[in-house]
Amino acid sequence: MRTSEQKSSWHYSQPKRIREPSHLDEQHLHLAHRSRQSMRAPLGLARTRKMSNNYNDVPFGIRAVQRLSRQCCTRFHARRDLLYKMSVFVLTFLAYACYHMCRKPISVVKSVLQGNCSTALAASGQECGYAPFDVPDATTLFGMLDSAFLFSYAIAMFASGFVAERVSLRYFLSMGMILTGVFTYMFGIARTSNIHSLWYFIIVQIFAGIFQTTGWPGVVALVGRWFGKSKRGLIFGIWNSHTSIGNILGTLIAAHYVESDWALSFVVPGIIIAAVGFLLFLFLVDQPEIVGCYPQAGQQERRVANESDVEQDDEEQVRHNDAEINYRSAPTERTPILPRSQPEAVPRGRGRPISLIDALFIPGVVEFSLCLFFTKLVSYTFMYWLPLYIQKSSTLGPELSADLSTLFDVGGILGAIAAGYLSDVSGMSATVCTGMLFVASPILLMYQQYGALSMTISIVLLIVVGIFVNGPYALITTSVSAELGQHSSLEGNANALATVTAIIDGTGSIGAAVGPLLAGLISTAGWQYVFHMLIAADIIAMVLLGRLVFKEFAALRRASHRIRIE
């Protein structure tokens, strides 16, 4: 007689025999089949797979939508990954539009704080100016406020990109937006609380700049995770219009209240960005994997998986049965073996975050970072000083001057889309930036010389200036940053995206801080010297990209030579 141990040993030493699948085997087969079809399931019907990190959970709003879809929309079928992509696109667009909306009120209220009231306001007997800014050298104080915000923004940007790669971007963005709203609100309540301390305004601006840095690395990393490289320039060009739209909204909101109660110019944007931050907390999916989407897993793998789902042939079924038999025969396995065509749970290309030093050695990062320093210097000088310049060079009041300055941002929208499209068509980002910078310099000089002649000329030139000044800035901060963050030298490590974005945008933010500061100092000698500074900055930015332009043309010649040989 054999003992039970001997029987067990004899049983496992026998050759493997194919047996009929049991009732439990059929259940596991059904679960495996359900998981393979999750990519074509309606929104919320497939089970979501959580990451090992407890903070990367499915947002509460998405869970509510999933439950609602199971109850009310059982017949509605759509591409789940497309719906999630649309939600990420819209939410990140709204988020960064709100960030820029909160930056604009200070440029609108400068004229009222300084005491240059409109004729109607002065005739009504209302108070003009607000201490400590109602002094002759108010432009210097405004330059200090701008520098407090922008230098803190530039310095904190490097740390923000480092943190963004290591935490949940949903929490990172939502908390950053809420705190940005708090400090924007605090600037406005200085009027209602009768606060006149310069240091109060400087400290508020410093903390507002720090929390504003949560925006850019977060939204770019999210769009980079969800959208592939196909037509990236055009997608980012359209998406990057949030910068100009945020500027326009911030200007219009601030201009609406500037002559009646300038405190509301800050309070209203602060409330709006905090509300949108809470919306992101409820609905933003920061990792495609937690909802069963694999946008970076490879188009070929998904295509093969979908074809096998449609065919359902006998050979596939036999392979499933064998896999389930192996699963049942191995006592240590706890999960069914899925078909080989099923995408892996962890997408390819997600490696360890890289350091700031390592990111600097990625080809093109240094050149584009220095170029952005000067292009952002020009763009932010316009953003912070254009309403005041229009009022000084014309007879318009604060509200009309602010409204007219929005045309610069309208041109920025067109420039961002045009630059992204040209980059997609040509594949030569540095050349596109250089060409637009080359045109921007004479356009700036034309606006300085002829912008005040008539309203029509001013409108046309402002739009054209916005196209060629904001086009390169938008392309570098979006498509170029995403491309460099997923450079071939990184061997598919997508975790470098936020760090590269932070380096490029952080360097550009230093220029954004220097530009308004210099403009405030130089404008006392004459606004024409401010424009000379801006033209020089554009020329330097163009020169910095010279090496990359030569490399792009060399690559183009090699490609043309290969085509002729073939």
Side-chain angles (χ1 to χ4, degrees):
M1 295 290 292
R2 295 179 183 271
T3 63
S4 60
E5 292 82 358
Q6 289 173 327
K7 288 181 180 179
S8 176
S9 175
W10 177 84
H11 174 74
Y12 284 105
S13 64
Q14 297 303 308
K16 187 181 296 184
R17 293 175 299 175
I18 298 179
R19 57 180 175 80
E20 293 295 325
S22 65
H23 176 66
L24 291 176
D25 292 335
E26 293 178 356
Q27 288 183 341
H28 288 293
L29 249 160
H30 179 66
L31 290 175
H33 179 68
R34 285 281 303 275
S35 66
R36 290 189 303 109
Q37 291 203 347
S38 63
M39 293 191 67
R40 292 199 322 233
L43 178 64
L45 292 183
R47 293 182 178 272
T48 56
R49 186 177 303 178
K50 294 186 179 181
M51 300 282 289
S52 59
N53 307 69
N54 56 8
Y55 52 74
N56 265 330
D57 54 347
V58 181
F60 302 109
I62 296 297
R63 293 180 186 177
V65 172
Q66 289 173 345
R67 285 194 292 268
L68 183 65
S69 67
R70 284 195 293 268
Q71 296 174 2
C72 305
C73 308
T74 55
R75 292 174 177 249
F76 175 72
H77 290 261
R79 284 186 55 191
R80 204 158 47 89
D81 59 338
L82 180 60
L83 293 176
Y84 283 121
K85 283 182 178 181
M86 290 173 59
S87 70
V88 170
F89 188 94
V90 172
L91 289 174
T92 53
F93 186 96
L94 290 176
Y96 209 68
C98 289
Y99 277 108
H100 263 262
M101 176 185 65
C102 290
R103 300 179 192 180
K104 284 298 291 184
I106 184 65
S107 66
V108 176
V109 303
K110 282 178 180 177
S111 58
V112 174
L113 295 178
Q114 187 177 1
N116 295 330
C117 300
S118 65
T119 305
L121 188 62
S124 65
Q126 298 185 29
E127 181 182 358
C128 271
Y130 190 83
F133 305 106
D134 55 346
V135 292
D137 61 340
T139 55
T140 303
L141 299 182
F142 292 142
M144 292 175 61
L145 288 184
D146 295 340
S147 298
F149 174 88
L150 293 169
F151 275 111
S152 63
Y153 179 90
I155 295 170
M157 177 61 72
F158 296 97
S160 181
F162 182 83
V163 174
E165 291 180 353
R166 291 160 174 82
V167 299
S168 169
L169 292 178
R170 179 164 68 96
Y171 290 91
F172 185 71
L173 281 171
S174 58
M175 291 303 297
M177 293 180 71
I178 292 172
L179 290 172
T180 297
V182 168
F183 284 99
T184 305
Y185 181 89
M186 288 178 64
F187 197 107
I189 64 172
R191 183 180 188 274
T192 57
S193 303
N194 202 28
I195 298 174
H196 296 276
S197 171
L198 178 64
W199 281 107
Y200 171 84
F201 293 103
I202 290 177
I203 291 172
V204 167
Q205 286 288 85
I206 288 173
F207 279 99
I210 291 173
F211 290 113
Q212 281 260 356
T213 61
T214 57
W216 193 242
V219 296
V220 172
L222 280 169
V223 176
R225 288 176 184 177
W226 278 96
F227 293 90
K229 296 184 178 181
S230 177
K231 296 184 179 179
R232 170 179 284 170
L234 181 60
I235 291 174
F236 270 120
I238 297 172
W239 176 75
N240 192 65
S241 62
H242 54 45
T243 300
S244 299
I245 289 177
N247 290 339
I248 293 171
L249 288 176
T251 301
L252 295 177
I253 292 172
H256 182 72
Y257 298 106
V258 65
E259 295 188 1
S260 59
D261 184 1
W262 63 262
L264 293 176
S265 298
F266 293 91
V267 170
V268 173
I271 294 174
I272 292 175
I273 190 175
V276 175
F278 184 67
L279 185 68
L280 260 69
F281 177 75
L282 292 178
F283 293 99
L284 181 65
V285 180
D286 61 349
Q287 290 279 6
E289 299 80 31
I290 67 175
V291 289
C293 295
Y294 307 93
Q296 305 297 336
Q299 297 294 330
Q300 181 66 22
E301 288 184 352
R302 288 199 296 272
R303 184 174 61 81
V304 173
N306 290 337
E307 289 175 356
S308 63
D309 286 341
V310 174
E311 292 175 359
Q312 291 293 322
D313 54 15
D314 293 336
E315 180 179 337
E316 181 72 10
Q317 188 65 40
V318 171
R319 188 158 59 248
H320 273 287
N321 291 342
D322 290 342
E324 291 301 317
I325 291 167
N326 292 337
Y327 159 75
R328 295 295 297 167
S329 64
T332 59
E333 292 290 333
R334 297 294 181 193
T335 56
I337 299 176
L338 301 180
R340 295 178 183 176
S341 60
Q342 177 70 16
E344 298 178 358
V346 179
R348 298 177 298 179
R350 297 201 58 80
R352 295 179 59 186
I354 66 172
S355 66
L356 295 174
I357 302 299
D358 292 335
L360 289 175
F361 286 98
I362 299 174
V365 168
V366 174
E367 288 91 341
F368 278 112
S369 298
L370 294 176
C371 176
L372 188 63
F373 176 94
F374 292 98
T375 55
K376 208 167 182 179
L377 181 152
V378 178
S379 180
Y380 270 63
T381 300
F382 268 90
M383 187 173 80
Y384 279 90
W385 289 99
L386 184 57
L388 184 61
Y389 169 75
I390 293 175
Q391 184 184 355
K392 293 283 188 180
S393 61
S394 65
T395 59
L396 300 178
E399 183 175 358
L400 289 177
S401 298
D403 292 341
L404 184 61
S405 69
T406 60
L407 295 173
F408 174 78
D409 294 299
V410 172
I413 296 174
L414 301 176
I417 296 174
Y421 176 76
L422 292 174
S423 176
D424 279 341
V425 172
S426 64
M428 303 168 69
S429 301
T431 305
V432 172
C433 291
T434 302
M436 299 187 82
L437 290 170
F438 180 79
V439 178
S441 298
I443 294 296
L444 284 171
L445 186 60
M446 289 177 61
Y447 177 71
Q448 188 267 323
Q449 292 288 336
Y450 308 109
L453 292 180
S454 70
M455 181 66 72
T456 303
I457 295 176
S458 180
I459 290 173
V460 173
L461 288 178
L462 272 176
I463 294 175
V464 176
V465 168
I467 291 173
F468 291 100
V469 167
N470 282 340
Y473 157 50
L475 183 63
I476 294 173
T477 54
T478 52
S479 179
V480 171
S481 296
E483 189 70 29
L484 294 177
Q486 296 173 342
H487 195 269
S488 58
S489 63
L490 297 172
E491 298 179 352
N493 183 4
N495 269 333
L497 185 55
T499 300
V500 171
T501 301
I503 290 175
I504 294 177
D505 196 57
T507 306
S509 299
I510 297 175
V514 171
L517 176 63
L518 292 178
L521 297 175
I522 298 174
S523 62
T524 57
W527 284 101
Q528 68 272 19
Y529 299 112
V530 175
F531 279 90
H532 295 166
M533 176 193 73
L534 300 180
I535 293 171
D538 268 341
I539 294 173
I540 295 172
M542 183 173 56
V543 172
L544 287 169
L545 292 180
R547 189 180 71 88
L548 296 180
V549 171
F550 284 125
K551 288 180 64 176
E552 288 179 348
F553 274 100
L556 181 64
R557 285 196 298 270
R558 288 195 297 269
S560 302
H561 181 67
R562 284 197 299 268
I563 293 174
R564 286 196 299 269
I565 292 176
E566 293 174 358

